[in-house]
Amino acid sequence: MKEVRIVLADAQYLARAGYRHLLQEQARFQVVGEASDTKELEAVVQELKPDIIIFDYHNSESFSIDDICRINNAAPETNFLVVTSESEKSKIFKILECGVNSILTKNCSREEIISAIKSTSRSEKFFCNKVLNVILEKHLGNQEEEENCYPSNLTAREVEIVELVAKGIPTREIADLLCLSPHTVYTHRKNIMKKLRINSVSEMILYAINAGIVKPAVN
């Protein structure tokens, strides 16, 4: 099977060493580079073009969420697995807006970390249970504040597209899978967002999870 090339972005040497030790147990995973700050990360991504960046932005002096957005735009083929602190709940939605594939907390188990890396290597979404609870809590809370509930009234085709988008599949691949043109898929997405009263892909992912269309990867 194809080797998964990984870059570790963490300000702490011991944290990077821990990830390296964990990944050595997995034959397909190879750590090809490391970065302790933004400048190093940008250089190593440009040079090595990794499949995955395991990114810890907890140390704001070394990394920031803006780094995720900038690097994700510059290297769209590289998937992000973000490791965050559970206390930084307000930042989870901003991370999602940057287009990351997976989010874990520092309290996650070895099995969850490995599952997240495997899912991320396939360009799938992975939210650990603690992150998912934060997402759903805020999403459901916002729904409860609405004066009126509204039905989704999505068509079967639109539900298919929501599911594929939530799984992180690009528009062109969705078009191929459903035997549609990319333009038709874009039109469906526009209609879906209008029906659901949402404005972003991250909100569509939340809707898909909340509605049971997709489920987070679990052990």
Side-chain angles (χ1 to χ4, degrees):
M1 298 180 68
K2 181 183 175 183
E3 182 180 81
V4 179
R5 294 159 47 82
I6 299 173
V7 163
L8 306 176
D10 195 302
Q12 298 178 335
Y13 170 78
L14 284 177
R16 300 197 306 273
Y19 287 126
R20 279 201 312 273
H21 178 73
L22 178 62
L23 293 168
Q24 285 172 358
E25 302 173 3
Q26 307 295 316
R28 291 182 56 222
F29 299 155
Q30 181 183 6
V31 177
V32 296
E34 299 183 20
S36 60
D37 58 32
T38 299
K39 184 176 180 179
E40 289 181 1
L41 180 59
E42 290 177 339
V44 84
V45 170
Q46 183 177 7
E47 177 184 355
L48 300 176
K49 297 178 173 55
D51 299 303
I52 298 174
I53 299 171
I54 298 179
F55 184 95
D56 187 337
Y57 73 92
H58 185 66
N59 186 338
S60 60
E61 294 182 359
S62 298
F63 296 110
S64 71
I65 297 177
D66 291 336
D67 296 333
I68 302 174
C69 297
R70 184 173 58 257
I71 293 172
N72 199 36
N73 288 332
E77 299 303 317
T78 298
N79 294 322
F80 269 89
L81 167 55
V82 174
V83 182
T84 181
S85 169
E86 186 181 2
S87 62
E88 298 177 336
K89 295 179 180 181
S90 63
K91 296 184 179 179
I92 289 177
F93 281 87
K94 186 173 180 181
I95 296 171
L96 283 170
E97 290 294 341
C98 291
V100 305
N101 292 75
S102 307
I103 306 176
L104 299 176
T105 71
K106 288 181 175 292
N107 296 324
C108 285
S109 67
R110 171 190 177 280
E111 288 74 20
E112 277 189 305
I113 295 170
I114 295 299
S115 294
I117 296 172
K118 289 179 178 178
S119 294
T120 307
S121 71
R122 297 189 295 266
S123 296
E124 297 174 354
K125 303 291 183 183
F126 187 105
F127 306 129
C128 72
N129 289 334
K130 290 182 179 178
V131 170
L132 180 60
N133 286 339
V134 171
I135 293 172
L136 291 181
E137 179 183 349
K138 183 170 183 179
H139 185 53
L140 291 173
N142 288 342
Q143 283 188 327
E144 292 170 357
E145 291 171 3
E146 294 281 349
E147 293 183 0
N148 299 301
C149 293
Y150 54 90
S152 66
N153 68 327
L154 298 182
T155 66
R157 175 65 81 192
E158 288 169 343
V159 171
E160 282 185 298
I161 290 174
V162 168
E163 179 181 5
L164 294 171
V165 170
K167 289 181 176 178
I169 299 176
T171 296
R172 290 190 178 277
E173 290 185 27
I174 293 175
D176 291 340
L177 287 169
L178 301 180
C179 299
L180 302 172
S181 70
H183 175 73
T184 300
V185 175
Y186 278 119
T187 299
H188 278 304
R189 286 180 53 163
K190 183 178 180 180
N191 290 337
I192 291 166
M193 288 185 169
K194 183 176 180 180
K195 285 183 178 182
L196 299 178
R197 302 180 189 177
I198 60 177
N199 300 301
S200 66
V201 171
S202 65
E203 289 178 290
M204 191 181 297
I205 293 169
L206 295 178
Y207 170 80
I209 294 171
N210 186 38
I213 296 172
V214 297
K215 295 181 180 180
V218 293
N219 298 327

